[in-house]
Amino acid sequence: MAEGEDGSFKSIDGMLCALSGNDLKVVFCPAAFTGDENGVYEIPVAVSLIGDNAFAGCTQLKGVVINEYVSSIAANAFKNCIGLESVIFAGEADDERLTIGSYAFAGCSSLTEIELPKNLAKLENNAFAGMRKLSSVYFNCSANVTFGNDVFSDGSVAHVKSVKLGKDVTTIPNFTSVFSNCEIEKFEVEEGNSAYYCDSFGVLYNKDVTTLLYAAHATYNDGTDAAAYAIPSTVTTIGANAFKNCTSLTAIDLVSGITTVGDNAFNGCTALKTFNMSETVENITPSSALSGCNALETVTIASANTKFAANSNVIYGKDANGVVTTLYLVANNAGEVQIPATVTNVAAGAFSNKSGVTKVVFLHDSNSPVTLAEGVFQNATGVQEVVLPTGIKAITNSMFSGCTSLTEAPELPATTLALYCYGNMFKGCISLTKAPELP
């Protein structure tokens, strides 16, 4: 026996362990470790801590059983155990509370499903990242669990398709962050759960169906269109990222009663063509909620809406007097867009990636100041001509970058030109034949 952090190391089943206070911790497991004859290893009941990288790279290990006494699985503990096909957590609600560290099972590319135990206390960032076969997760944990961000994602990709919420799961506060980059096709809520409800399409709501939390990436059918989804009349809030990257969705109707739509709610819905908004919607940033909806063709907003208006498939924001002052978003087939002189702000990316917008004219004079946010026309590949207002306050970087049909640079009547703005302003404008005229 050798000296360890609290006095001694010991070998158990060929693993190096160390005392940490009153706890025995697995420090190192040899790369060729296989467990039993079937490749399965049950963590001994004497062990309560699994250290950083303890089993990392044990590629021949096929299964592991985490005993109910383990309170911590540290960062990278089982990282890149590519042969691991089964992880069983034995803990129950009254057992030692368990923390699973960052990247603890990252890269375990043979795991297809996981059940989170009732004694789970904390699940840290990226704990199950990079698991390309992990398609099913059962949250069998109880209340008061702390969840990190990107739990199933490496920052860009996640593969979870099916999620089941157990009856004792009461809240996942950072819901969209936990499932970041997942394209979940089905939610299931266990009978007896008091916090969540799931409809027949796998769309997840809070229990009283007032908040739509996550719309599964499945085929919707409201009885009239197989790619439209009918939001229940009880809903008042659409959560942030709720329909993000739902690429089969072609139409959405924000029915009367909905007041709030979170950021990026429909981001990346690349097939969305029709967007209807009722008079009750007050809290939405259309340029964020509909970001990446580049197939959008038809936008209608109820005339009784006091916050927003749509004219020729352009979404505007109103001031307290009902006057349009902000241009948020333009549909892809808007053609020529004439912007009213009352508009004082154009949101970032308002015309970005719109191939169906051909000409933009600001109907402003020198006494009508207007502010254009960053990249307003970026990658608007159909735009051939832009007439900027004389009252424009600033020209920013990348404003016309990627406008491949723009033949003549617009006059730049800004009182302030952003430093180095010319570096990327007309980058990729391959049809441009004339440089801009300066004020």
Side-chain angles (χ1 to χ4, degrees):
M1 186 174 292
E3 290 299 309
E5 54 186 298
D6 275 330
S8 63
F9 284 121
K10 63 171 61 177
S11 176
I12 299 179
D13 298 335
M15 303 180 301
L16 183 64
C17 299
L19 284 174
S20 179
N22 294 322
D23 295 306
L24 187 64
K25 177 169 69 174
V26 178
V27 176
F28 173 75
C29 183
F33 184 82
T34 59
D36 64 19
E37 65 275 12
N38 296 313
V40 177
Y41 185 63
E42 184 171 349
I43 304 297
V45 294
V47 171
S48 55
L49 304 174
I50 300 175
D52 295 358
N53 299 287
F55 289 86
C58 291
T59 58
Q60 297 180 53
L61 192 62
K62 294 182 178 181
V64 64
V65 179
I66 309 296
N67 74 60
E68 62 270 34
Y69 303 105
V70 171
S71 62
S72 175
I73 301 174
N76 307 301
F78 292 90
K79 188 174 183 180
N80 294 331
C81 291
I82 59 174
L84 197 61
E85 299 174 349
S86 171
V87 176
I88 296 174
F89 297 95
E92 295 292 337
D94 55 353
D95 288 323
E96 189 75 35
R97 298 281 276 167
L98 172 65
T99 293
I100 301 176
S102 297
Y103 296 95
F105 293 91
C108 294
S109 53
S110 295
L111 267 174
T112 60
E113 59 184 12
I114 199 79
E115 179 179 331
L116 299 176
K118 289 185 179 297
N119 67 327
L120 183 66
K122 187 176 183 180
L123 186 60
E124 295 186 349
N125 299 351
N126 310 103
F128 296 98
M131 302 170 68
R132 60 178 179 267
K133 290 185 180 179
L134 182 65
S135 61
S136 177
V137 179
Y138 176 22
F139 284 73
N140 196 26
C141 41
S142 57
N144 303 317
V145 178
T146 300
F147 293 98
N149 299 323
D150 301 320
V151 169
F152 305 100
S153 171
D154 59 6
S156 60
V157 178
H159 302 276
V160 175
K161 300 295 183 184
S162 175
V163 173
K164 181 179 179 180
L165 300 180
K167 64 183 181 63
D168 296 320
V169 177
T170 57
T171 181
I172 303 177
N174 53 333
F175 194 88
T176 54
S177 297
V178 171
F179 295 104
S180 176
N181 298 309
C182 294
E183 296 188 355
I184 299 169
E185 296 176 354
K186 178 186 178 183
F187 271 98
E188 181 182 351
V189 177
E190 201 167 66
E191 187 176 352
N193 186 294
S194 63
Y196 295 103
Y197 164 80
C198 184
D199 71 9
S200 59
F201 302 107
V203 178
L204 188 68
Y205 298 86
N206 64 343
K207 190 65 174 180
D208 58 3
V209 198
T210 57
T211 299
L212 191 157
L213 295 167
Y214 195 104
H217 290 241
T219 300
Y220 310 113
N221 188 348
D222 66 356
T224 59
D225 186 337
Y229 180 69
I231 298 173
S233 60
T234 55
V235 172
T236 60
T237 300
I238 308 292
N241 302 290
F243 287 86
K244 187 175 181 179
N245 295 329
C246 289
T247 55
S248 65
L249 188 69
T250 62
I252 199 73
D253 187 4
L254 300 183
V255 296
S256 184
I258 295 173
T259 61
T260 301
V261 179
D263 288 343
N264 298 302
F266 302 96
N267 187 331
C269 292
T270 54
L272 187 65
K273 293 184 177 181
T274 303
F275 179 78
N276 302 320
M277 195 160 81
S278 72
E279 74 285 355
T280 59
V281 179
E282 298 179 341
N283 304 304
I284 182 175
T285 304
S287 51
S288 170
L290 294 165
S291 176
C293 297
N294 298 324
L296 193 62
E297 296 178 352
T298 304
V299 176
T300 58
I301 298 177
S303 59
N305 192 302
T306 60
K307 301 288 186 179
F308 301 95
N311 184 14
S312 300
N313 296 315
V314 180
I315 302 178
Y316 296 97
K318 298 178 182 178
D319 65 12
N321 298 314
V323 177
V324 295
T325 56
T326 301
L327 190 158
Y328 282 109
L329 193 75
V330 176
N332 192 42
N333 65 337
E336 179 176 335
V337 177
Q338 296 193 350
I339 301 174
T342 57
V343 170
T344 57
N345 291 283
V346 180
F351 293 85
S352 292
N353 300 299
K354 305 299 190 298
S355 60
V357 178
T358 56
K359 183 177 180 179
V360 180
V361 179
F362 287 80
L363 303 177
H364 298 63
D365 57 28
S366 58
N367 296 316
S368 304
V370 60
T371 299
L372 276 62
E374 186 76 22
V376 167
F377 300 100
Q378 193 168 7
N379 297 321
T381 56
V383 170
Q384 301 169 21
E385 182 181 358
V386 177
V387 180
L388 292 173
T390 55
I392 188 173
K393 289 184 177 180
I395 299 292
T396 58
N397 296 317
S398 305
M399 182 172 287
F400 301 102
S401 174
C403 292
T404 54
S405 297
L406 190 67
T407 57
E408 185 174 323
E411 182 180 351
L412 305 178
T415 56
T416 302
L417 298 179
L419 189 62
Y420 307 124
C421 68
Y422 290 112
N424 292 309
M425 185 187 298
F426 296 101
K427 184 178 180 180
C429 295
I430 57 176
S431 301
L432 196 65
T433 58
K434 183 179 179 182
E437 296 183 16
L438 300 177

